[in-house]
Amino acid sequence: MACGTRTLTWVAVILSIILYRSGGLIKNCIVVKSPFTTGHVANADYDADCTTLRDHTVPRAESLSSCEDEVFWEIEDKSGKVVQRPVIFTCDPNRKNWNTVMGPLRNPDPLGSLWLYIPSTDSSKDYLDPSVKRDKVQRITLKNYPPNHDFHPLGAEAWPSHAGSPSNLYVVNHARHRTVIEQFVLDPASPTEALHIRTISSPYFLSPNSVALTSPDSFYVTNDHFFTRRLPIVGHVLPLIESVLGLPLGFVSHVSLHPVTSNTKNPIAKQAFAALFIPFANGISLSRTGTNLAVVSTSTNQVQFYTRDPLTNKLSQRKSETVILPFSPDNVNIVPSIDQPGKEDVVVAGHPNFPHLVAVAANKKGAYAASWAAVLTPKPESLSGTKAPVSDDAAPVPISSKVSTDGTTYQVKTLFQSNGDEFNFGFMSSSTALRDPDTGVVYVSGLYAEDGAIICKPGSGIGRKKYIASSSL
């Protein structure tokens, strides 16, 4: 009897921990299946203004598909004003065979890829090679990439290009034997080429996921798990336990690099832990001022905010500003506000139903996973510092139906939503979202989306292209 009592006590303790750490995730992302519509995008018509970016005349394995991250490569004029915002996508059609976060680790061949989308702009402000097509996604060639070196891109970020000058791009690479970060150089004169500079490896990269640049040669990097899929025997169990229990074992590191011209063999000049004890530390983004950092905690459905000291790169968490979301957030981007000049919005995308995402990852027939992206906008001064009921009535599944209050600094509203049924015009497994602050164009990438990414141009009437039969996907 005593043994049975002790067992029940331990079960109760474990269940209490799960509910405390991950109660929101279990309720909103596991138990409840929300009635999403085919698609919804704020300030636009999903059916009339949205279309996927993949070219169906090209075989899936050679096209933009299963895109995890998307980042703006900002092009500045001589005064420092951003005049162009091409988008870079990190994609891997082989993700269902090689995924070091969700599994499986079956086959790391073939390589993933980078893709570029250049929106049309005023030709007088165009610093990019005019021969490269606009409004069409194009593959980026990896120049001087080491032979026999895997490439499975996840998080990425590009430093802005000033008046047509080359700039650095960093990409997390979940390679065969360990995860590393690849450094490339992008040149507006040849935007569809990325010159490989070096591969960066570090003991501070335990499970790298996403990067946020603090200079052309330094960055923060999130590490999503302490227990990884790469562990022998227990690798398929311990990471799942860590996620479900919401164990705070993820962390953020900061790395500064030696100049490329340095003769040192180790490219890392300085490295340190910047933030510890974050459950499933996933996406990360730094404001243009360099003082506001957002970090996603996927297993607790949170976006956490930190104040950065630009001189020391030390971080201080602003716990009262933490925002709870109705989905498991994946990636986050801080971008200039579209409605409040001089301020910044926080755009975050993620996964509304974890079991459905797992079914897609396992390649189960007929499985699809919904998409949800939200925008966090700064509160007016009169409301800042207090939480208020969420107002999100325009969305088919309102955030307010799952989360009652917003943050003390940010209001929360739906930016994009879809049931994920690709064969009926939905868009699946959103992992990243961006909104151009000048045009209002929304880009969403899908972790397992057959068509990789979707673009929504308010009022454009570009329409939604029908999918070709499944045999050609």
Side-chain angles (χ1 to χ4, degrees):
M1 179 67 71
C3 181
T5 301
R6 284 196 298 270
T7 300
L8 289 174
T9 300
W10 277 110
V11 169
V13 169
I14 292 172
L15 289 175
S16 297
I17 293 173
I18 293 174
L19 290 173
Y20 173 74
R21 300 296 307 176
S22 305
L25 180 145
I26 293 171
K27 174 188 173 184
N28 294 327
C29 305
I30 296 179
V31 176
V32 178
K33 180 181 177 182
S34 300
F36 295 107
T37 60
T38 301
H40 164 82
V41 59
N43 303 317
D45 184 301
Y46 180 83
D47 292 324
D49 298 331
C50 300
T51 186
T52 49
L53 290 176
R54 177 185 159 196
D55 182 354
H56 278 268
T57 64
V58 179
R60 177 183 179 276
E62 302 170 14
S63 64
L64 173 140
S65 184
S66 296
C67 301
E68 204 274 349
D69 203 3
E70 55 184 13
V71 295
F72 284 130
W73 176 28
E74 295 184 332
I75 311 296
E76 301 174 342
D77 64 14
K78 293 180 180 180
S79 69
K81 179 183 178 181
V82 177
V83 292
Q84 290 177 273
R85 286 189 177 84
V87 182
I88 296 172
F89 301 90
T90 67
C91 308
D92 192 352
N94 190 46
R95 198 176 306 281
K96 291 180 182 178
N97 287 312
W98 188 260
N99 187 331
T100 64
V101 181
M102 293 186 61
L105 301 181
R106 187 180 299 123
N107 181 10
D109 298 319
L111 306 184
S113 53
L114 303 177
W115 293 79
L116 177 70
Y117 179 87
I118 304 175
S120 298
T121 187
D122 183 349
S123 59
S124 66
K125 300 177 181 179
D126 199 335
Y127 286 89
L128 298 159
D129 180 1
S131 68
V132 178
K133 293 180 180 180
R134 271 46 177 173
D135 300 321
K136 181 179 175 62
V137 70
Q138 294 166 87
R139 189 171 188 145
I140 297 176
T141 302
L142 308 183
K143 290 188 65 177
N144 292 352
Y145 197 73
N148 303 318
H149 184 41
D150 299 303
F151 188 61
H152 295 285
L154 212 69
E157 188 162 25
W159 191 255
S161 167
H162 182 71
S165 62
S167 62
N168 288 338
L169 168 71
Y170 294 88
V171 182
V172 175
N173 177 13
H174 284 206
R176 186 181 309 249
H177 299 297
R178 65 178 306 173
T179 301
V180 294
I181 293 178
E182 310 291 351
Q183 181 182 352
F184 299 91
V185 167
L186 299 170
D187 189 342
S190 305
T192 57
E193 294 179 346
L195 176 64
H196 186 262
I197 302 300
R198 53 189 171 182
T199 297
I200 305 161
S201 181
S202 166
Y204 287 73
F205 301 168
L206 178 61
S207 53
N209 191 299
S210 183
V211 292
L213 303 187
T214 54
S215 78
D217 296 303
S218 62
F219 52 82
Y220 291 107
V221 55
T222 57
N223 290 263
D224 52 57
H225 283 79
F226 180 79
F227 299 109
T228 73
R229 290 272 177 175
R230 297 182 188 273
L231 291 172
I233 303 175
V234 296
H236 65 291
V237 175
L238 291 184
L240 182 61
I241 293 175
E242 182 179 335
S243 295
V244 173
L245 292 180
L247 300 181
L249 302 179
F251 58 95
V252 176
S253 302
H254 186 269
V255 173
S256 299
L257 304 176
H258 289 294
V260 175
T261 55
S262 173
N263 293 325
T264 181
K265 291 184 178 180
N266 182 2
I268 297 177
K270 186 178 180 181
Q271 53 191 336
F273 294 114
L276 300 173
F277 311 121
I278 304 172
F280 203 147
N282 202 330
I284 186 170
S285 185
L286 183 65
S287 65
R288 289 183 68 86
T289 62
T291 57
N292 184 29
L293 186 78
V295 179
V296 160
S297 172
T298 297
S299 58
T300 57
N301 288 21
Q302 295 180 357
V303 180
Q304 301 178 359
F305 292 93
Y306 297 78
T307 298
R308 170 180 174 255
D309 183 338
L311 297 178
T312 64
N313 292 306
K314 290 185 178 180
L315 300 175
S316 302
Q317 186 178 0
R318 307 193 302 274
K319 292 186 178 180
S320 65
E321 297 182 27
T322 297
V323 173
I324 306 297
L325 293 167
F327 52 85
S328 295
D330 198 325
N331 284 311
V332 62
N333 287 284
I334 300 178
V335 295
S337 176
I338 198 169
D339 297 316
Q340 304 181 57
K343 295 189 177 183
E344 293 178 309
D345 295 335
V346 181
V347 180
V348 57
H351 311 288
N353 191 290
F354 185 69
H356 291 180
L357 186 69
V358 170
V360 171
N363 210 24
K364 291 188 177 180
K365 186 177 180 179
Y368 54 88
S371 296
W372 203 337
V375 58
L376 284 54
T377 59
K379 285 186 172 183
E381 292 295 331
S382 60
L383 298 177
S384 183
T386 61
K387 292 191 175 184
V390 173
S391 176
D392 191 42
D393 297 336
V397 179
I399 292 176
S400 56
S401 67
K402 294 176 174 290
V403 177
S404 58
T405 59
D406 57 20
T408 57
T409 305
Y410 295 98
Q411 301 178 54
V412 188
K413 290 193 175 183
T414 292
L415 177 64
F416 180 90
Q417 211 173 70
S418 174
N419 61 12
D421 185 357
E422 291 188 301
F423 290 98
N424 289 294
F425 316 115
F427 185 78
M428 180 164 63
S429 61
S430 59
S431 50
T432 311
L434 290 170
R435 183 169 65 177
D436 190 304
D438 294 325
T439 64
V441 173
V442 173
Y443 305 88
V444 182
S445 58
L447 185 66
Y448 292 105
E450 293 288 342
D451 281 357
I454 191 169
I455 180 173
C456 298
K457 297 182 179 182
S460 66
I462 58 176
R464 186 65 196 279
K465 297 178 181 178
K466 281 192 173 184
Y467 289 99
I468 300 173
S470 59
S471 60
S472 65
L473 289 176

